[in-house]
Amino acid sequence: MLRKKRGVKQYDMARALGVSPSYLSKIETGAQEPTEKFKSSCAKYLKTTVDRLFNESAVEDIYPEFANGLKNKLWAVRREMGIKQYDFAKKLKVSTPFLSKVELGLLEPPEDFKTLVSKVLKMEKNELFLSSK
């Protein structure tokens, strides 16, 4: 999330860190656990600390500047429930990049997706999606 919010392309960051874009993608989606060396490299590259970058807290708690402007609470709720993005995307039968764009507010999901997410998470749509009617 921090990489995307700062406008850094995944390919560029992966190359700068000496890893493949697919490896970085797996780390970002939770499909693979990062090494300590990788965590340190990421933190240095993004000019933050390992503790702030790799943690279990909601992103809004660590980076308050991200709390404003988010169109949904999907990312925070998913993390709070301990669900990895890759696993959640698979359960919803959508691609990880699609889910990532929805969580970042870069893409407004269709109503049927919102309904499915609320059913899977056992929450009301208006609790997850601020723009829901």
Side-chain angles (χ1 to χ4, degrees):
M1 183 127 186
L2 182 60
R3 174 188 63 75
K4 290 177 183 179
K5 286 289 187 179
R6 291 197 176 160
V8 177
K9 293 181 180 175
Q10 190 176 61
Y11 178 86
D12 295 337
M13 183 170 164
R15 291 298 175 222
L17 297 175
V19 298
S20 70
S22 64
Y23 176 77
L24 180 55
S25 176
K26 288 176 184 176
I27 299 300
E28 289 181 344
T29 61
Q32 186 169 341
E33 289 298 317
T35 64
E36 290 304 315
K37 182 180 176 186
F38 181 79
K39 287 180 180 182
S40 296
S41 296
C42 278
K44 186 175 180 180
Y45 181 83
L46 293 170
K47 296 178 176 74
T48 189
T49 65
V50 171
D51 290 340
R52 287 185 84 195
L53 191 57
F54 295 94
N55 62 74
E56 296 303 316
S57 300
V59 73
E60 297 86 357
D61 295 342
I62 305 300
Y63 300 96
E65 63 272 22
F66 294 164
N68 297 327
L70 291 179
K71 296 180 180 177
N72 64 69
K73 297 178 181 177
L74 190 54
W75 186 88
V77 169
R78 178 182 58 75
R79 280 226 15 206
E80 202 174 275
M81 292 179 157
I83 305 168
K84 294 188 180 218
Q85 189 180 54
Y86 173 82
D87 296 333
F88 195 46
K90 201 171 171 182
K91 187 169 195 150
L92 296 171
K93 296 182 179 154
V94 298
S95 70
T96 305
F98 173 83
L99 181 57
S100 182
K101 287 177 185 171
V102 169
E103 288 181 341
L104 287 169
L106 302 174
L107 181 68
E108 180 65 27
E111 284 301 315
D112 60 338
F113 176 81
K114 292 177 182 181
T115 301
L116 178 60
V117 168
S118 65
K119 184 177 177 182
V120 168
L121 295 177
K122 297 179 178 140
M123 295 178 74
E124 295 294 323
K125 272 197 276 188
N126 62 1
E127 292 178 274
L128 296 165
F129 299 95
L130 304 178
S131 60
S132 283
K133 294 177 172 85

